[in-house]
Amino acid sequence: MRISASILFIAFCFISSSSFAQQTKEERELSNILTQTAKVVTEKLPMIIDSDTRLDSVATVGNQFIYTNTLTQYIAEQMDAEQLDIVIQENVIDTICLNKDMKGFIDLGVVLIYRYLGKEGKFITELSLDTSTCKKA
C-alpha cells in the first residue's frame, strides 16, 4: 500500500501543530529565548573559532542549541571520528560547565550539541551535553 505525499504532509502538519500546542508556558519561553539567541549569534557567522574550526550555523529545537562547525583543513574521510570525539570531549564538552559565558544555558538546562563537518560539508561527528547535569555554583 502506498501513502501519498499529501497525506504524509497533512499528518506531519497535524502532529507538529499538536505537539506545539502541548508546550508549557516555560517551554515556549525557553524556545523564544533560544530562538532569539540563535538570531543574535547567526548575525556574527561564519566565525573562525581556531585555525581548524569555523562555526557556520546555530539552530535550536526545543531545549537544544546546536552548533554546526566545519573543520576547515580536513575532509571527513581524513578524520577518525572516535579520535575527534576524544579531542572535542576534552577541549569543548568538558569545559562547558566551568565556562562563565555558558551560565545562561546552564541555568536554563539547555542541551548543547556540537556538530562537526569536513571542509566539503560531510558529517563527521557530534557530541552533546545536557547542561542540567552541571553542578550549579
Side-chain angles (χ1 to χ4, degrees), residues 8-24:
L8 287 174
F9 177 74
I10 291 168
F12 174 77
C13 289
F14 175 75
I15 291 167
S16 296
S17 66
S18 64
S19 66
F20 178 76
Q22 294 174 5
Q23 274 190 321
T24 66

Side-chain angles (χ1 to χ4, degrees), residues 102-122:
M102 302 304 268
K103 184 178 182 332
F105 283 144
I106 294 167
D107 290 345
L108 294 169
V110 174
V111 175
L112 299 174
I113 299 171
Y114 291 83
R115 182 173 295 153
Y116 290 83
L117 310 175
K119 66 181 180 180
E120 81 288 15
K122 288 186 180 177

Side-chain angles (χ1 to χ4, degrees), residues 62-79:
N63 72 331
Q64 300 176 343
F65 199 84
I66 305 161
Y67 296 91
T68 300
N69 299 281
T70 297
L71 297 178
T72 58
Q73 305 299 315
Y74 307 96
I75 61 172
E77 288 76 23
Q78 291 176 298
M79 301 304 298

Side-chain angles (χ1 to χ4, degrees), residues 4-130:
S4 75
S6 59
I7 292 173
L8 287 174
F9 177 74
I10 291 168
F12 174 77
C13 289
F14 175 75
I15 291 167
S16 296
S17 66
S18 64
S19 66
F20 178 76
Q22 294 174 5
Q23 274 190 321
T24 66
K25 180 181 177 184
E26 292 80 15
E27 290 169 333
R28 282 192 297 278
E29 288 174 2
L30 177 58
S31 291
N32 185 47
I33 290 167
L34 294 178
T35 299
Q36 293 306 314
T37 301
K39 181 179 177 185
V40 169
V41 173
T42 297
E43 292 172 357
K44 300 174 183 178
L45 300 180
M47 181 187 305
I48 302 301
I49 304 300
D50 59 35
S51 61
D52 294 323
T53 314
R54 180 184 66 228
L55 176 60
D56 290 318
S57 68
V58 295
T60 181
V61 177
N63 72 331
Q64 300 176 343
F65 199 84
I66 305 161
Y67 296 91
T68 300
N69 299 281
T70 297
L71 297 178
T72 58
Q73 305 299 315
Y74 307 96
I75 61 172
E77 288 76 23
Q78 291 176 298
M79 301 304 298
D80 178 334
E82 290 180 9
Q83 289 299 314
L84 181 59
D85 286 350
I86 293 168
V87 172
I88 296 167
Q89 184 70 44
E90 291 174 357
N91 295 296
V92 179
I93 303 298
D94 290 347
T95 67
I96 292 170
C97 292
L98 301 175
N99 185 336
K100 292 179 181 166
D101 292 335
M102 302 304 268
K103 184 178 182 332
F105 283 144
I106 294 167
D107 290 345
L108 294 169
V110 174
V111 175
L112 299 174
I113 299 171
Y114 291 83
R115 182 173 295 153
Y116 290 83
L117 310 175
K119 66 181 180 180
E120 81 288 15
K122 288 186 180 177
F123 177 82
I124 300 172
T125 193
E126 76 178 30
L127 280 86
S128 64
L129 173 69
D130 180 346

